[in-house]
Amino acid sequence: MTTPDALAAPGPEDARASSGDEYFTGSATARAGSVIGADGTERAIPPHRWRFLLYSAIGLAMFFVSIEIGGKSTILVDHVLTLVQRVLGAAVPWVVVALVAFGTIRPFVTGSWRKGALRTVFALANVVGLVVAVCAAAGYYPGPLANPDIGPFLWEKLAIPVGLIVPVGAVFLALLINYGLMEFVGVLVQPIMRPLWKVPGRAAVDAVASFVGSYSLALLITDKVYREGRYTGREAAIIATGFSTVSATFMVIVASTLDLMHHWTLYFFLTLVVTFAVTAITVRIPPLRGVPDEPFEGVDHAPEPVPTGNRFAHAWDEAMRALAGAPGLVRGTWSTFKDGVLMSSAIVPSILSIGLAGLLLATYTPVFDLIGWIFVPVAALVGLPDPALAGKAVAVGIAEMFLPATVVAGHESEVLRFTVGVTAVSQIVFFSALVPSILATSIPVNVGRLVILWLERVILTILLTAPLAHLLL
């Protein structure tokens, strides 16, 4: 979770149409087997196609292959995190404090804290997060922070793992993002994007960018493409609120907190399926249906061309084109590592401030119990154990997407924990980061629409996930 200033995303590549044996990129033309570089010159596609296969395979293995090491069965990237924590040893808390300090100071240095009331509120809240981080690193938990389910939980179970796993995971995400896999998958799924989600095929790249990278990166891509006229306002709103989920690395934290890592592959892919199924429904009902289907003001609409011929061959060509412009392994992983540091420096202060506020409200006030009653009939309808607790858990998600996991962590019902874990991701809308991120773009959605969307997505996710959880677990 991070705000738009946490990452500087490059603009998406221009759409390409094939005609005979030529590729067109904007006004430039390149022969088959070549690519137009950023400087406008034609370059041959390098012969190192093995990089696409090898790097993609390693990246997929790191996030989707679970093995047992030292008596702990989890995915490989989680084992790497354990190794990093052992190497850092006693310095771990202060490394996280440094990340929080950097993330707190940065908005004031860049001036982004002045860009709207919400930005100002979150920047000031991060100061609270920094104070909490220093106290926790020193082992001092004053007042309600002394509650093991609040201060120690936020710090030891969330802030430290998140602060480390996002940069660590970003290193391996480079293997999925930089070397053609995104483009390959994007072309293959183009035929289903418009019928199911009413968006162009290129939106698949935004969706994959969220799941394997960061929704802030995906939002920045979406905003840029919208301002270039290649998305309409409705398409941009659908993508921003329907595909901009938290990344796979953060989903590891959710699954780990809910003791679901032994179901990691099922959890990840079912979350992906449910999230996109819910999006397929919400695009057909208000408020998304009411967003104007018009290009950005003052810009002509430029719909994407439809590829012809063998789609798999086209997907392979697109992957090779991306590979031709890809950075070397060291430079690529270093770049995504830096992006991961920026992400974690924005995420952790938000967790220790907005997340803390949500936990305090959930623990000491009836606010979310009252809101949760909206969802109790839905939870009861699908047979979730403890419907009142389930309602409270999903209700608190509007403050911070991770909080639902904290409410049901340790509950004996795996079905309940699984359903809440999927809902935490599929809800997409939450105020600790995604809402200010969307509002900072040109995408035409306001707070009112976002709240209604959150309500719709939570209800639909519960209805879809709970029966599957009963069946599969």
Side-chain angles (χ1 to χ4, degrees):
M1 298 165 295
T2 183
T3 52
D5 61 322
L7 285 174
E13 297 177 322
D14 290 336
R16 181 182 69 178
S18 61
S19 176
D21 58 354
E22 292 184 330
Y23 296 136
F24 296 90
T25 306
S27 60
T29 304
R31 294 184 301 273
S34 62
V35 62
I36 297 297
D39 58 359
T41 60
E42 182 179 343
R43 293 178 290 139
I45 291 179
H48 307 302
R49 300 181 181 185
W50 59 266
R51 293 196 302 163
F52 166 66
L53 299 173
L54 179 62
Y55 294 169
S56 298
I58 294 174
L60 290 169
M62 291 303 299
F63 285 95
F64 300 110
V65 174
S66 179
I67 65 173
E68 183 174 334
I69 299 178
K72 180 182 180 181
S73 179
T74 185
I75 58 173
L76 289 172
V77 75
D78 202 23
H79 286 302
V80 175
L81 174 63
T82 300
L83 176 63
V84 169
Q85 288 179 292
R86 288 179 179 174
V87 171
L88 291 175
V92 166
W94 299 106
V95 170
V96 177
V97 168
L99 285 170
V100 174
F102 177 65
T104 301
I105 294 170
R106 191 166 183 266
F108 295 101
V109 173
T110 61
S112 64
W113 71 281
R114 298 190 186 97
K115 298 177 181 178
L118 274 177
R119 286 292 192 97
T120 302
V121 169
F122 285 115
L124 295 176
N126 285 350
V127 176
V128 176
L130 177 58
V131 173
V132 173
V134 172
C135 289
Y140 174 61
Y141 295 102
L145 288 179
N147 185 329
D149 295 326
I150 297 180
F153 176 82
L154 277 174
W155 182 245
E156 297 169 12
K157 302 296 185 182
L158 187 52
I160 289 178
V162 169
L164 296 179
I165 199 171
V166 173
V168 170
V171 171
F172 299 102
L173 286 172
L175 302 176
L176 299 181
I177 294 172
N178 292 338
Y179 301 101
L181 183 64
M182 286 181 62
E183 289 74 15
F184 184 79
V185 172
V187 171
L188 292 181
V189 301
Q190 279 179 3
I192 67 172
M193 298 301 289
R194 178 67 68 182
L196 287 182
W197 297 293
K198 300 184 182 296
V199 294
R202 60 169 68 106
V205 177
D206 297 54
V208 176
S210 285
F211 264 97
V212 303
S214 130
Y215 63 75
S216 62
L217 172 61
L219 280 174
L220 289 168
I221 293 173
T222 303
D223 185 46
K224 180 175 176 61
V225 177
Y226 168 53
R227 288 186 283 106
E228 291 173 347
R230 295 159 67 196
Y231 288 150
T232 66
R234 183 182 299 170
E235 289 169 350
I238 290 169
I239 295 163
T241 62
F243 299 129
S244 299
T245 66
V246 295
S247 68
T249 52
F250 200 83
M251 289 173 65
V252 172
I253 299 293
V254 175
S256 179
T257 300
L258 292 171
D259 193 22
L260 294 173
M261 287 306 295
H262 55 294
H263 291 306
W264 165 251
T265 301
L266 174 64
Y267 171 71
F268 180 88
F269 285 105
L270 189 61
T271 299
L272 185 149
V273 170
V274 169
T275 298
F276 291 169
V278 169
T279 299
I281 298 172
T282 57
V283 301
R284 291 168 167 80
I285 60 178
L288 282 180
R289 193 177 64 184
V291 177
D293 198 23
E294 301 170 354
F296 187 68
E297 184 177 359
V299 178
D300 293 332
H301 188 209
E304 69 177 1
V306 179
T308 58
N310 187 304
R311 184 167 296 276
F312 186 87
H314 185 80
W316 177 261
D317 289 343
E318 193 70 25
M320 292 304 100
R321 180 173 180 270
L323 184 64
L329 182 62
V330 173
R331 186 159 62 92
T333 53
W334 174 247
S335 176
T336 55
F337 173 75
K338 291 190 294 183
D339 288 344
V341 170
L342 290 177
M343 284 179 61
S344 63
S345 71
I347 292 168
V348 181
S350 175
I351 290 171
L352 294 175
S353 55
I354 304 300
L356 173 61
L359 273 182
L360 291 174
L361 287 174
T363 304
Y364 297 109
T365 77
V367 170
F368 290 108
D369 296 86
L370 296 175
I371 297 175
W373 282 104
I374 297 173
F375 307 108
V376 169
V378 182
L381 177 65
V382 293
L384 283 181
D386 205 343
L389 181 65
K392 177 181 179 179
V394 297
V396 77
I398 195 168
E400 157 59 42
M401 65 77 52
F402 183 77
L403 292 179
T406 69
V407 175
V408 298
H411 195 282
E412 62 181 3
S413 171
E414 196 168 57
V415 169
L416 174 60
R417 287 184 277 115
F418 192 94
T419 302
V420 169
V422 173
T423 304
V425 177
S426 178
Q427 67 172 28
I428 291 183
V429 178
F430 57 96
F431 272 84
S432 68
L434 187 108
V435 170
S437 295
I438 291 178
L439 295 179
T441 69
S442 304
I443 300 168
V445 285
N446 55 33
V447 173
R449 277 180 168 150
L450 290 172
V451 171
I452 295 172
L453 272 169
W454 168 77
L455 183 66
E456 292 174 348
R457 294 192 68 90
V458 169
I459 292 174
L460 290 170
T461 300
I462 294 172
L463 291 175
L464 292 176
T465 305
L468 292 173
H470 282 296
L471 180 65
L472 298 174
L473 298 179

